[in-house]
Amino acid sequence: MPRIALGLEYDGSDFAGWQSQAHARGIQAVVEEGLSVVADHPVEVVAAGRTDAGVHAAMQVVHFDTTATRTERSWMLGAVSNMPKEVSVLWAREVPEGFHARYSALARRYRYVILNRVARPALNAERVAWIREPLDEKRMHEAAQHLVGEHDFSSFRAAQCQSRTPMRNLHEISVTRHGELVVLTVCANAFLHHMVRNIAGVLIAIGTGERPVDWSAEVLAHRDRKLGGVTAVPGGLYLAGIRYAPALNLPSEPEFTVLAPVPATCRPVPDQV
């Protein structure tokens, strides 16, 4: 049976998370329904990672097995036409039988997008975290570097996390400003439940000046979630990409364009009289 991998993009605002649920709308369910129509048989997908309610994806990767013979273009376009507008298929590839969307992944990247201005958002209210107090992104970036490396991330782990170990290897982390947007980018081998949102909560407290720069190191060392910061809201979080072995030749991460500021040269000019 051929094994197919798909790259997905979705707006998680109106979903109860990735996983299929009996009494709530899960992204997995609508993806499987759309693919089942194209395949003409029931399809079950396996995702690289589960996203929570309200969390988005610029690049989620899934795989499924099928007895159907379709071109990669047919899988992509056929699936999109049978899914709700909040979910799209970016690409489709036939992959080796041993490929696994989750276990073959070498690293995962998330982005947390903060709108830092006094006025609350209207157009992107469910796609950013809104912080009205001024944020010092340089302090946040400096504080974030304490988390790089392999550590026990118990202080950044949700109480309901089901992972057998709190150990994770955080490869890189950065905080950058793009006009009114402050963007936290995190890459690791894997993530604990709410790990990125809990990191964001700590860094936001540091960015506002509420906490010192070294507080992130103190929180990490305590290994106690009760001593950490608040869990940041889900709307600002994006699964940005999944990295696989280069030999698979799979697209890993789209260019970051989510809510990117409009360059000055592209801004509309007043109507000519």
Side-chain angles (χ1 to χ4, degrees):
M1 295 177 66
R3 176 160 292 187
I4 307 296
L6 297 181
L8 303 177
E9 174 185 272
Y10 52 79
D11 180 338
S13 303
D14 294 330
F15 289 91
W18 165 260
Q19 193 169 7
S20 296
Q21 302 176 44
H23 304 292
R25 190 182 186 216
I27 300 165
Q28 179 184 4
V30 301
V31 170
E32 291 178 341
E33 289 171 6
L35 288 171
S36 295
V37 173
V38 181
D40 198 27
H41 67 73
V43 169
E44 296 182 2
V45 300
V46 176
R50 297 176 181 176
T51 51
D52 289 335
V55 176
H56 319 292
M59 177 73 80
Q60 168 75 278
V61 177
V62 303
H63 82 258
F64 64 94
D65 295 325
T66 178
T67 57
T69 301
R70 306 283 187 270
T71 65
E72 294 175 350
R73 179 179 174 83
S74 295
W75 283 119
M76 176 181 163
L77 298 182
V80 166
S81 65
N82 288 284
M83 292 180 188
K85 61 182 178 61
E86 299 94 340
V87 183
S88 185
V89 179
L90 302 176
W91 50 263
R93 300 282 192 280
E94 185 168 346
V95 290
E97 181 181 355
F99 172 83
H100 194 283
R102 179 181 177 188
Y103 297 124
S104 297
L106 303 178
R108 297 158 174 83
R109 188 181 302 270
Y110 279 87
R111 283 195 174 90
Y112 195 82
V113 182
I114 302 167
L115 180 64
N116 188 211
R117 72 183 190 193
V118 174
R120 66 175 174 82
L123 296 178
N124 293 300
E126 302 300 325
R127 298 187 182 94
V128 295
W130 173 47
I131 303 295
R132 69 173 69 189
E133 298 85 1
L135 291 174
D136 186 332
E137 71 278 4
K138 294 181 181 178
R139 281 171 54 91
M140 296 170 70
H141 179 79
E142 181 182 350
Q145 304 318 302
H146 293 302
L147 307 179
V148 175
E150 187 169 6
H151 303 288
D152 181 331
F153 280 94
S154 293
S155 295
F156 299 92
R157 177 184 191 179
Q160 63 270 37
C161 181
Q162 298 178 356
S163 176
R164 290 177 294 178
T165 173
M167 300 299 296
R168 292 294 185 269
N169 190 344
L170 200 156
H171 299 160
E172 56 182 293
I173 183 169
S174 66
V175 180
T176 55
R177 178 175 286 275
H178 308 266
E180 294 179 332
L181 299 180
V182 175
V183 181
L184 164 65
T185 304
V186 188
C187 181
N189 64 329
F191 289 88
L192 300 166
H193 193 193
H194 287 177
M195 180 173 162
V196 179
R197 290 168 58 192
N198 289 334
I199 289 174
V202 166
L203 296 182
I204 288 170
I206 293 170
T208 61
E210 178 185 345
R211 294 284 189 170
V213 171
D214 290 340
W215 187 52
S216 56
E218 295 175 11
V219 171
L220 180 67
H222 283 310
R223 303 178 184 178
D224 186 346
R225 176 70 196 114
K226 296 178 182 178
L227 301 178
V230 299
T231 302
V233 298
L237 185 58
Y238 295 77
L239 176 55
I242 314 295
R243 186 181 304 163
Y244 296 99
L248 291 168
N249 196 31
L250 296 179
S252 60
E253 183 176 357
E255 182 180 354
F256 177 53
T257 57
V258 177
L259 301 173
V262 179
T265 55
C266 296
R267 290 173 185 156
V269 297
D271 292 337
Q272 300 296 317
V273 178

